[in-house]
Amino acid sequence: MKFPITRPRRLRKNQIIRDMVAETTLSIDDFVYPIFVIEGKDIKNPVKSMPGIYQLSLEHAVEEAKEAYDLGIKSIILFGIPEKKDEVGSQAYAEDGIIAKAINKIKSKLPDLIVIADACLCEYTSHGHCGILDKDGNVLNDPTLELLKKEAYVYAKMGADIIAPSGMMDGMVKAIRESLDENGFEDVAIMSYSAKYSSSFYGPFRDAAESAPAFGDRKSYQMDFRNANEAIKEIMLDIEEGADFVMVKPALAYLDVIRIAKEQFPYMPIAAYNVSGEYSMVKAAGKMGWVDENSITIEILTAIKRAGADLIITYFAKDMAKLIRGQS
């Protein structure tokens, strides 16, 4: 049919009609909220490059988790900043490590909150890389898997609902799945950072997690941003190894990858990480008055969901939950 019989503007006439025919709508259920937990007491260090985000000692992390839960956010993901670091990141898999303690404490206070534990070594190693190094500074894949198995086991033992390996080691999902199953944690899910790109959007996160590499970069294990087909290969391998969720990270510059992944694997829950650089750019532009922060955030997160994401890990989660609930 053609004009004047067909007039698409009829369905844009007012907000009520636009809402009636909206194809994609954000829900609080879509969001996972990241929390950074640091050793010590009564610490609430603002992350300068991420306004509104803090490094929180355990008691404040519990408060932050409760605030998110009370806003209707059903899931958080935890990142740790240990007091001590070493060559093998031993605090990542210590039962008295900061994330192990945080999982245990948060689950004891908020048993219905889904706690996702990021499983990597970069925050815990003295060199800032995501695994064990050889004498030339190269990350050794298979020895690193053994440490990731220990880390996943400890987090599951402390009560984590989901383990999220993020180091982009080959075979990490298989290794963790076997470790969990062998230790009686068959019901603990794995959310794999399947397509994690070596990206310039991670800068503010590395401030928050104190995880910048001491030398070099992570391009030998994180993905080349020029590649999309490779992401599908990585996702397929993780699914075959037993991943329950797969993830694309970052989100905004990789909407095409999210879309391709959803089309290729429609049966898999797909998470997208709306990363620190994406967050900080919006916050900075909003502060300068160059954009309307709320409206542009809604547009970005809707685009991520429209592309095919089932879950969005985002630092905007609390802000958006308040907006959706009419509290801001």
Side-chain angles (χ1 to χ4, degrees):
M1 294 187 292
K2 299 180 180 179
F3 177 83
I5 295 173
T6 301
R7 293 177 181 264
R9 286 184 57 189
R10 294 186 190 117
L11 299 184
R12 305 177 200 140
K13 183 177 179 180
N14 57 47
Q15 188 64 48
I16 294 173
I17 293 176
R18 290 192 294 273
D19 289 343
M20 288 172 63
V21 300
E23 298 172 22
T24 308
T25 303
L26 290 175
S27 163
I28 298 173
D29 291 341
D30 298 328
F31 304 138
V32 178
Y33 183 53
I35 296 177
F36 297 94
V37 193
I38 191 169
E39 290 279 12
K41 293 183 179 180
D42 197 25
I43 296 172
K44 191 173 182 179
N45 294 333
V47 180
K48 292 181 180 179
S49 57
M50 298 177 70
I53 302 299
Y54 299 84
Q55 295 176 333
L56 301 169
S57 53
L58 188 54
E59 73 278 18
H60 291 304
V62 174
E63 293 169 359
E64 186 80 347
K66 186 177 187 308
E67 181 182 347
Y69 182 73
D70 289 345
L71 286 168
I73 297 167
K74 296 181 171 65
S75 180
I76 61 170
I77 184 167
L78 298 176
F79 299 94
I81 302 101
E83 190 172 22
K84 297 179 181 178
K85 302 187 180 191
D86 57 34
E87 289 292 305
V88 294
S90 58
Q91 283 300 298
Y93 43 90
E95 292 195 9
D96 62 350
I98 185 58
I99 291 302
K101 291 187 290 189
I103 294 166
N104 184 263
K105 190 71 170 179
I106 290 170
K107 288 299 288 186
S108 70
K109 298 291 185 181
L110 300 163
D112 294 330
L113 179 66
I114 299 300
V115 174
I116 305 170
D118 177 84
C120 194
L121 298 177
C122 60
E123 296 134 79
Y124 307 94
T125 54
S126 53
H127 46 73
H129 281 283
C130 299
I132 297 174
L133 302 182
D134 66 12
K135 59 182 178 62
D136 297 317
N138 301 307
V139 175
L140 298 171
N141 192 93
D142 295 7
T144 297
L145 295 182
E146 295 304 310
L147 301 187
L148 293 178
K149 287 165 66 173
K150 291 182 181 180
E151 188 177 16
Y153 165 71
V154 168
Y155 293 167
K157 182 179 178 181
M158 292 300 166
D161 300 284
I162 301 171
I163 307 299
S166 61
M168 288 297 288
M169 295 296 111
D170 294 340
M172 65 184 182
V173 173
K174 181 176 184 288
I176 288 172
R177 184 73 272 159
E178 289 176 351
S179 176
L180 293 174
D181 290 356
E182 289 168 1
N183 288 285
F185 296 112
E186 297 91 348
D187 292 336
V188 174
I190 296 175
M191 178 185 289
S192 179
Y193 288 65
S194 300
K196 180 179 180 180
Y197 285 85
S198 180
S199 171
S200 297
F201 283 97
Y202 300 152
F205 174 93
R206 291 173 182 170
D207 292 340
E210 300 181 9
S211 63
F215 62 89
D217 54 43
R218 295 174 180 153
K219 292 181 180 180
S220 68
Y221 43 102
Q222 293 178 357
M223 282 187 55
D224 188 327
F225 66 82
R226 296 173 293 184
N227 298 344
N229 291 333
E230 184 185 4
I232 302 309
K233 176 182 178 181
E234 290 278 6
I235 290 169
M236 179 185 67
L237 290 171
D238 282 0
I239 292 171
E240 291 175 349
E241 291 179 14
D244 300 286
F245 305 78
V246 293
M247 188 193 301
V248 176
K249 179 184 180 182
L252 186 56
Y254 299 85
L255 296 177
D256 60 323
V257 178
I258 297 169
R259 168 52 61 189
I260 297 168
K262 196 61 181 176
E263 290 174 349
Q264 291 287 322
F265 309 105
Y267 53 87
M268 283 298 294
I270 294 183
Y273 203 139
N274 176 219
V275 298
S276 60
E278 298 166 14
Y279 173 86
S280 296
M281 288 191 300
V282 171
K283 285 289 185 179
K287 182 178 180 180
M288 294 299 294
W290 295 337
V291 300
D292 180 273
E293 182 181 316
N294 285 342
S295 63
I296 202 169
T297 301
I298 291 170
E299 188 172 344
I300 288 169
L301 296 179
T302 300
I304 295 168
K305 185 175 181 180
R306 189 182 68 239
D310 300 290
L311 295 171
I312 304 172
I313 302 171
T314 178
Y315 304 97
F316 289 112
K318 287 199 309 177
D319 293 344
M320 289 296 100
K322 291 175 184 176
L323 198 62
I324 290 169
R325 290 164 64 100
Q327 296 180 10
S328 64

